[in-house]
Amino acid sequence: MTGSLHTPLLCVAVAALMGCGPRGPQTSAGNVALPFYQVDVVDPANQQRLLGGFDDIRGGWRWTAGKFAVSLDVPADRPLYLLLDAGAPQELVGAGKPLTLTTRLNGRVIGSRTIQTRDRFLSSLAVPPELLDGPAVRVEFEVDRTFQDHESGRARGMMVLSAGLSNLDSTPAALDRLRQSTREAYESNRQRRNVPISASQDQDLMKLFHETPIWRNFRFHAIQIEKSPLDLWSMQDAIEQIRPDFIVETGTYRGGSALFWANALNGLGLTASRVLTVDIADHKGDAAQDPLWARYVEFYQGSSTDPAIVKRIADRVRGRKTLITLDSDHSGPHVLRELRMYSPLVSSGSYLVVEDTDMDGVPAYPHSFPGPLAAVTQFLSEGGSKLFEPDATREQMGITYNPGGWLRRK
């Protein structure tokens, strides 16, 4: 067996979780410890989570023995899916010899899979919620036979890239279904806008705006702010109408948008209102020197889905008029996690704004699926529509990074 995986790559299908696109937090940022929801087996930062059975590295994957195990932190989401990105060697599945892979979580079997080809595959198993009581779980995989590698003399089992816990079923078939429903949701939302342009004109406008790099150089109070000025206009209009006590933002980056929200509050005379902004890294720099920041903004360093941080914010905003905007990690699983955690904090008549929903290939970034709009589609379909509805009236400027992302609390 050579060092290549002999596989039709699934990189596009599993980009959100499997390491070839935006990913959830896995390493530390500054002195902030981040959870390991997913382990890439060749990443040096993940090695302490490999509990045994892993052998030499070959490019982006590792050989395993017949049994191998990892430790994963447990997200707060339910349901959860256990994902394994791997391949079986020709020596074990050739000549019509199927291989059985058994998966255990904390010692309990949660599923088995029969593997009949050497192609790379993504296995997805629903995790029984009663097995998720602790902060972390031990996940064990076992194949029913191995082969002896003549070069190394070692017993070989699987060829593994990663394992993880996700709130999205990320198998190709499940993603195909989600992609179709996401495109339908995008088109339905486009038709609700009161903008007299065709679907093709809408796509052309969006693509042209993204391909023009002017927006990357946009500043507010001399601080970088990577947003469409048309979306900022819509946001300040919403702030004027809602007059929130709190604006909660995930994804601070340089702090330009937090300053913009603070400026809107200040202009309305809402001197008791505050902006609560969260980021895993502290890049606010010059923004924190602005008088508006000192007066209105509170910064939380850590993962936006850290239950401790969410609880701190929830305690601050409870019973108050609250508007929330999500602009951190744009991978589908992460945004869905944010939607589930932050949606209860939004007050009636206010908004939960999911930014950059244009990334899902409808139409701007065809290789980033599943992204924010897929997360919105999943969130609404699983029960979020009982409390939230997309508000296309907030997209009247015609060009927006957030199509379908304005969710109004009923």
Side-chain angles (χ1 to χ4, degrees):
M1 188 70 183
T2 64
S4 66
L5 191 54
H6 294 294
T7 175
L9 292 178
L10 296 176
C11 190
V12 171
V14 299
L17 191 64
M18 294 302 144
C20 42
R23 298 186 301 175
Q26 296 152 47
T27 58
S28 62
N31 58 359
V32 179
L34 300 180
F36 284 80
Y37 300 141
Q38 184 245 330
V39 170
D40 296 314
V41 300
V42 300
D43 188 339
N46 294 184
Q47 298 312 294
Q48 73 270 27
R49 294 304 181 110
L50 306 183
L51 303 182
F54 288 90
D55 210 326
D56 50 325
I57 296 174
R58 299 291 181 91
W61 55 275
R62 295 183 75 144
W63 278 115
T64 74
K67 297 180 181 180
F68 55 101
V70 300
S71 173
L72 298 171
D73 292 326
V74 178
D77 309 279
R78 302 295 183 272
L80 283 175
Y81 299 89
L82 177 64
L83 306 180
L84 176 69
D85 189 8
Q90 176 68 24
E91 289 85 347
L92 294 181
V93 295
K97 300 180 294 183
L99 185 70
T100 299
L101 172 68
T102 300
T103 303
R104 296 179 178 85
L105 195 146
N106 286 341
R108 174 174 158 182
V109 174
I110 63 169
S112 296
R113 177 188 177 120
T114 299
I115 305 164
Q116 303 191 57
T117 68
R118 67 183 185 182
D119 291 340
R120 180 176 173 182
F121 65 88
L122 181 65
S123 173
S124 178
L125 293 171
V127 179
E130 64 269 20
L131 298 182
L132 300 169
D133 289 340
V137 292
R138 177 185 176 91
V139 184
E140 300 169 318
F141 304 93
E142 182 177 3
V143 289
D144 59 351
R145 64 180 184 277
T146 60
F147 77 96
Q148 196 77 14
D149 180 29
H150 297 299
E151 181 180 344
S152 66
R154 299 187 179 99
R156 303 291 200 190
M158 300 294 293
M159 307 153 72
V160 172
L161 293 88
S162 61
L165 289 169
S166 173
N167 51 351
L168 274 178
D169 184 350
S170 297
T171 54
L175 288 179
D176 283 344
R177 293 191 297 270
L178 182 58
R179 183 178 287 105
Q180 179 60 32
S181 60
T182 300
R183 291 186 181 279
E184 291 171 356
Y186 178 84
E187 178 58 23
S188 175
N189 188 76
R190 188 193 68 79
Q191 293 178 7
R192 286 195 297 267
R193 295 183 205 161
N194 186 27
V195 180
I197 59 175
S198 67
S200 61
Q201 288 173 321
D202 179 69
Q203 287 209 354
D204 289 343
L205 276 172
M206 293 283 284
K207 289 180 179 179
L208 178 62
F209 191 76
H210 280 82
E211 291 168 0
T212 304
I214 296 173
W215 60 272
R216 292 187 179 275
N217 301 314
F218 190 46
R219 299 284 190 277
F220 181 75
H221 283 208
I223 304 299
Q224 185 177 8
I225 177 170
E226 292 191 356
K227 297 184 188 295
S228 162
L230 299 177
D231 287 329
L232 290 172
W233 187 272
S234 294
M235 188 69 159
Q236 64 83 30
D237 187 52
I239 293 170
E240 190 278 332
Q241 293 178 25
I242 297 167
R243 305 180 75 83
D245 298 308
F246 289 98
I247 299 172
V248 178
E249 171 190 66
T250 66
T252 310
Y253 191 43
R254 301 295 183 187
S257 55
L259 281 180
F260 189 89
W261 317 144
N263 185 69
L265 295 174
N266 187 63
L268 291 168
L270 300 176
T271 56
S273 296
R274 293 293 180 267
V275 177
L276 312 182
T277 184
V278 185
D279 207 305
I280 61 172
D282 186 352
H283 295 301
K284 60 185 186 296
D286 292 340
Q289 307 307 311
D290 192 294
L292 284 172
W293 190 283
R295 186 171 185 178
Y296 289 97
V297 182
E298 299 176 14
F299 175 68
Y300 296 74
Q301 186 174 359
S303 169
S304 62
T305 57
D306 181 342
I309 286 181
V310 177
K311 183 181 184 302
R312 288 172 61 193
I313 292 174
D315 290 342
R316 290 279 280 126
V317 308
R318 184 173 291 109
R320 310 295 291 276
K321 285 189 292 184
T322 304
L323 186 156
I324 295 180
T325 179
L326 307 180
D327 190 25
S328 60
D329 179 348
H330 293 314
S331 64
H334 182 81
V335 178
L336 181 57
R337 189 171 295 122
E338 287 185 322
L339 281 163
R340 290 170 174 168
M341 299 181 82
Y342 286 90
S343 57
L345 311 186
V346 181
S347 54
S348 178
S350 187
Y351 289 92
L352 177 56
V353 185
V354 183
E355 300 201 34
D356 296 304
T357 47
D358 60 335
M359 291 181 62
D360 295 69
V362 279
Y365 297 96
H367 300 301
S368 63
F369 191 87
L373 187 56
V376 170
T377 303
Q378 179 72 20
F379 170 71
L380 293 175
S381 69
E382 68 185 21
S385 60
K386 295 178 181 178
L387 294 177
F388 291 87
E389 59 184 357
D391 185 358
T393 66
R394 295 295 176 185
E395 303 174 27
Q396 297 308 305
M397 300 297 178
I399 298 176
T400 177
Y401 285 171
N402 315 324
W406 280 88
L407 304 181
R408 188 182 69 83
R409 180 74 183 258
K410 297 178 182 178

